[in-house]
Amino acid sequence: TLDIKLKAEYMDVFLGTQKMTDNPTAVRFPGEVLEVTTIMHPEDSYSDDIVCISSDPSVVSISGMSIKCLKPGKAVISVESIYQNLRNSFTVIVLEP
């Protein structure tokens, strides 16, 4: 059998349960760990090549699709689907507890 995947037209990005494509700013606190997830559209399109990149790993570090808030500050998280050539980004503001 041949398994054909469609090319995605766009992707929705979530940080935990917050849809970042609707509101691209999240306020968090040091020590929080959250998962970044994506939904590709159309939903049966290829989605195995997604990476996250932090603009300031000393504020928000990334391991796979998990982010960890380390200290107060601000970081832009880029979510990229390399194969699909899609990119979204959102800002995480880490506040003092």
Side-chain angles (χ1 to χ4, degrees):
T1 63
L2 183 59
D3 186 20
I4 298 174
K5 295 287 186 179
L6 300 173
K7 183 172 180 173
E9 296 172 16
Y10 68 97
M11 68 178 162
D12 286 323
V13 177
F14 296 83
L15 179 60
T17 59
Q18 182 179 349
K19 188 175 180 182
M20 302 310 295
T21 42
D22 289 344
N23 180 11
T25 303
V27 176
R28 301 293 183 211
F29 298 95
E32 285 190 77
V33 177
L34 296 158
E35 290 294 317
V36 176
T37 57
T38 61
I39 297 176
M40 306 301 266
H41 297 278
E43 288 189 27
D44 59 347
S45 57
Y46 184 77
S47 63
D48 292 341
D49 61 341
I50 299 168
V51 296
C52 291
I53 302 163
S54 175
S55 67
D56 191 343
S58 70
V59 173
V60 177
S61 67
I62 296 177
S63 176
M65 294 295 282
S66 292
I67 70 161
K68 183 173 185 180
C69 300
L70 301 173
K71 67 178 187 178
K74 180 168 60 169
V76 175
I77 308 302
S78 297
V79 182
E80 299 179 13
S81 174
I82 299 165
Y83 179 76
Q84 303 287 350
N85 198 26
L86 296 173
R87 182 178 189 188
N88 279 319
S89 61
F90 59 91
T91 301
V92 176
I93 299 169
V94 182
L95 299 178
E96 291 282 346

